[in-house]
Amino acid sequence: GGVVYVNYGRREDFEQLRSLGIALNGSIAVARVGGGVSFAEKVWFAQEAGHVGVLIYPDPADVPQDPRRLGLHSNAVISEHVHLGSGDPFTPGFPSFNLTQFPSTQSSGLPVIPAQPISANVASKLLSQLSGVGCPRGWQGRLPYVQCVLGPGFTGPGERKMKMAVYNTMKPVLLNNIFASIEGKVEPDHYIIIGAQRDSWGPGAVKSGVGTALLMELARTFSNMVENGFYPRRSLLFVSWDGGDFGNVGATEWLEGYLTMLHLKAVAYFSLDQAILGDDILSVYTSPLLADLIEGAIKQVEHPKHTGQSILSLVRRQGGWRNIVKPLYLNSGAYSFTAFGGVPAMQLHFTEDARSYPFVNTQLDSVGRLQELLQGRLRSVGRAVGELVGLMVLKLSHDHILPLDVTCYSSTAQQLSSKLNQHAAQLQSRGLSPQWVFSARGDYSRAAKNLHEAIKNSDIQDERLARLYNTRIMRVEYYFLSQYVSVVETPFRHVFHGRGDHTLSALADHLSLLTSAPHLFDEALFRRQLALFTWTLQGAANALSGDVWNIDNPL
């Protein structure tokens, strides 16, 4: 087909191309790396737009490409999987422990069009020959000899087209996840999980080496503590995951295998993947249930680049510790645990302020290049990350009452209530009432507050009582997995962190159409979205309230 330059391949980029009248159907998209969307999302949006293939390249505007200054060579490609999901894409929603037990079923997130990474040099040769409308403002990259035009035609005589083909071979491969454990003394059946990806396509210093080294060091440290007389209250589970580069396959298949009991056992998960991409700025991608652990940890750990100063002291200059807390993202090692498994999860990243580490997912991701970026401070940054995770794991494994903030989702639900209030008149004119959402949010807020008060007024040294409270606390994340969508078709069922029509973000986006594009508002779909979200929230409130005789739901 013809070739169309689609900028970063975001949904809004394709919408802008349509508004400009560019013919997308039957053409091959060329997208650049970055823009806040993964390769999988770029390919998914291109497929939705009617493209028949996607080529993805690193543009010098986004990825440094001067080998003399710690940049990629212009012939280098960046690789990433394109499954809009995680795990084995041919056993969606169930484990591939033994493929003979299940018929092969293709994941709904697996694209049906080919995708291929290309280098900046190849992209330059293609895009320099395009003809058509000039690029919108802000779409111009820094490829040499390229005057930014959109295509889909080529310059020169005749109607030239490009042929694209991908020759992949499919074969079964045995994956090996490796586990080690330290058994808890009081609640051995409740455990905190620490994990890291072990595989990579290239040398994988950042992709798998750093995380594996941190995992081994944390396991060694906690083992030494046990040898010296320390026993955690809850168990610790250390896991080295296989198949991470194909979409966290090893971790997701394990989650799928034990999905029905994990919420009864797993307190939290900490991913050590890609923890060190620099030594300046700490970012914490987490379930909000774990967010309050951050402040206590960064108060006690020295910043790897600023000797004698805690991480908290530097974070305060940037506006406070809550500014470093961010939502989980699809390609992170922690995302599936929360969005699919209903287990609170966290992943930490140290990054550079002035420049990025451009070698992740390339054949150049080596320890030497990482050390060069960090100016020899890899050990000190690794120590800081290890101490941060170790302190949070220690608190979760040792405190009588689990330090998870069950009130956090009240404020998130409140944001929806505010948006519904803004559109109250338009909703009422269509016979829609947000009353039940308000009621469910109020019930959840009261249940969370009552639990907090009950714990404060109880003897937490009473082991039976402490266990009852902890059981209710550790199941909160699981309560927000929608029971009304199929785990096969919609694996990320979490209404706050998941993906699909059942989520809060989908509901809010649909609601905004009342103002931006009323003709696109689908009343029947919105009623369904509102009902499913409301009852998921109400179910979480009921479960958090405790025994059924403490629940009062008018019929």
Side-chain angles (χ1 to χ4, degrees):
V3 171
V4 176
Y5 172 59
V6 298
N7 196 26
Y8 291 113
R10 301 168 297 192
R11 192 184 293 277
E12 58 265 34
D13 293 332
F14 289 106
E15 288 172 355
Q16 190 160 4
L17 286 166
R18 287 192 199 95
S19 70
L20 292 170
I22 305 299
L24 304 181
N25 277 348
S27 65
I28 295 166
V30 176
R32 51 175 166 159
V33 171
V37 287
S38 66
F39 280 33
E41 289 167 303
K42 294 176 194 291
V43 176
W44 187 260
F45 295 146
Q47 180 176 295
E48 283 186 331
H51 289 284
V52 294
V54 185
L55 301 172
I56 303 172
Y57 77 97
D59 195 289
D62 309 298
V63 183
Q65 293 190 22
D66 184 349
R68 298 166 299 175
R69 297 184 178 181
L70 207 63
L72 288 181
H73 193 279
S74 57
N75 281 323
V77 299
I78 296 177
S79 300
E80 195 176 293
H81 77 90
V82 294
H83 176 208
L84 192 66
S86 64
D88 180 352
F90 293 97
T91 59
F94 49 89
S96 56
F97 288 166
N98 183 347
L99 284 173
T100 61
Q101 295 179 25
F102 303 104
S104 181
T105 304
Q106 184 163 311
S107 165
S108 58
L110 200 63
V112 297
I113 62 173
Q116 179 71 25
I118 58 174
S119 67
N121 278 352
V122 172
S124 183
K125 289 175 183 176
L126 279 173
L127 297 180
S128 64
Q129 298 181 63
L130 288 188
S131 64
V133 179
C135 292
R137 187 175 180 180
W139 284 36
Q140 175 76 52
R142 290 183 193 160
L143 288 174
Y145 315 115
V146 172
Q147 182 180 359
C148 193
V149 294
L150 299 175
F154 288 96
T155 56
E159 190 179 337
R160 291 192 295 163
K161 294 195 174 185
M162 188 179 75
K163 182 178 179 181
M164 175 187 177
V166 176
Y167 301 97
N168 285 338
T169 56
M170 300 285 288
K171 64 177 182 178
V173 176
L174 180 66
L175 301 185
N176 294 286
N177 296 327
I178 302 170
F179 295 79
S181 63
I182 295 174
E183 190 171 348
K185 196 172 184 179
V186 181
E187 299 177 38
D189 56 330
H190 292 164
Y191 38 81
I192 296 95
I193 311 168
I194 307 105
Q197 171 182 330
R198 191 175 67 255
D199 64 298
S200 64
W201 283 333
V206 163
K207 198 69 190 285
S208 60
V210 163
T212 300
L214 285 165
L215 179 70
M216 300 293 285
E217 190 65 11
L218 283 165
R220 184 190 66 80
T221 301
F222 277 105
S223 295
N224 287 345
M225 290 168 64
V226 170
E227 288 174 4
N228 290 320
F230 167 78
Y231 273 96
R233 181 182 180 86
R234 300 173 189 93
S235 297
L236 305 180
L237 193 59
F238 303 90
V239 194
S240 175
W241 303 114
D242 203 352
D245 258 8
F246 293 91
N248 299 309
V249 178
T252 304
E253 296 311 306
W254 183 76
L255 279 171
E256 289 174 344
Y258 300 101
L259 184 62
T260 55
M261 50 77 75
L262 266 182
H263 66 288
L264 306 173
K265 304 283 187 180
V267 174
Y269 175 70
F270 291 88
S271 170
L272 303 172
D273 293 341
Q274 300 185 52
I276 302 176
L277 295 155
D279 61 0
D280 278 324
I281 300 170
L282 175 66
S283 298
V284 182
Y285 300 87
T286 184
S287 157
L289 286 169
L290 298 173
D292 283 352
L293 292 170
I294 298 296
E295 185 179 19
I298 61 177
K299 191 185 297 182
Q300 300 177 64
V301 177
E302 184 178 77
H303 196 286
K305 197 173 181 179
H306 302 277
T307 307
Q309 299 183 61
S310 71
I311 296 173
L312 179 61
S313 65
L314 273 84
V315 165
R316 278 175 175 159
R317 297 173 200 169
Q318 300 163 8
W321 69 270
R322 290 202 177 272
N323 286 347
I324 69 172
V325 177
K326 298 174 170 58
L328 294 165
Y329 60 95
L330 178 63
N331 257 7
S332 77
Y335 181 80
S336 290
F337 277 82
T338 298
F340 176 78
V343 176
M346 178 186 291
Q347 183 164 331
L348 309 173
H349 291 310
F350 265 104
T351 54
E352 285 293 287
D353 186 14
R355 55 181 175 170
S356 62
Y357 179 78
F359 305 113
V360 180
N361 292 321
T362 75
Q363 297 296 318
L364 304 172
D365 181 14
S366 66
V367 175
R369 289 185 174 87
L370 183 58
Q371 279 283 30
E372 186 180 345
L373 177 80
L374 299 173
Q375 299 179 339
R377 286 190 291 267
L378 179 56
R379 181 183 292 270
S380 62
V381 187
R383 182 187 179 98
V385 174
E387 288 178 352
L388 286 170
V389 174
L391 285 167
M392 290 186 282
V393 169
L394 193 62
K395 188 167 180 63
L396 283 169
S397 66
H398 189 66
D399 282 13
H400 273 69
I401 299 297
L402 288 169
L404 303 183
D405 179 18
V406 297
T407 65
C408 63
Y409 286 119
S410 300
S411 57
T412 310
Q414 174 61 46
Q415 293 169 14
L416 174 64
S417 297
S418 300
K419 289 180 180 177
L420 288 168
N421 266 330
Q422 292 169 15
H423 296 88
Q426 293 159 298
L427 291 172
Q428 286 174 5
S429 68
R430 297 170 181 264
L432 292 164
S433 171
Q435 172 196 345
W436 294 110
V437 178
F438 300 158
S439 175
R441 186 197 64 79
D443 286 349
Y444 182 83
S445 298
R446 281 187 293 275
K449 184 180 177 182
N450 290 342
L451 179 58
H452 181 74
E453 289 296 319
I455 291 170
K456 192 166 69 173
N457 297 322
S458 299
D459 176 14
I460 60 172
Q461 301 301 319
D462 183 329
E463 298 294 352
R464 187 191 69 84
L465 199 57
R467 186 176 177 86
L468 285 173
Y469 287 141
N470 285 333
T471 300
R472 284 161 67 182
I473 291 169
M474 66 187 286
R475 293 180 187 176
V476 167
E477 201 80 81
Y478 183 80
Y479 298 152
F480 288 109
L481 297 184
S482 176
Q483 305 302 308
Y484 309 108
V485 292
S486 163
V487 70
V488 174
E489 293 298 321
T490 313
F492 301 129
R493 294 179 295 147
H494 201 294
V495 294
F496 293 112
H497 305 294
R499 300 178 68 88
D501 283 344
H502 65 289
T503 60
L504 176 63
S505 60
L507 181 61
D509 288 346
H510 198 169
L511 184 64
S512 67
L513 292 177
L514 282 172
T515 303
S516 62
H519 62 286
L520 296 177
F521 184 81
D522 185 334
E523 186 175 316
L525 174 61
F526 186 80
R527 282 181 185 275
R528 177 179 169 77
Q529 287 177 305
L530 192 63
L532 296 190
F533 177 81
T534 301
W535 190 244
T536 301
L537 182 60
Q538 186 65 59
N542 293 348
L544 195 59
S545 295
D547 296 309
V548 291
W549 49 83
N550 293 325
I551 301 167
D552 179 20
N553 284 326
L555 299 177

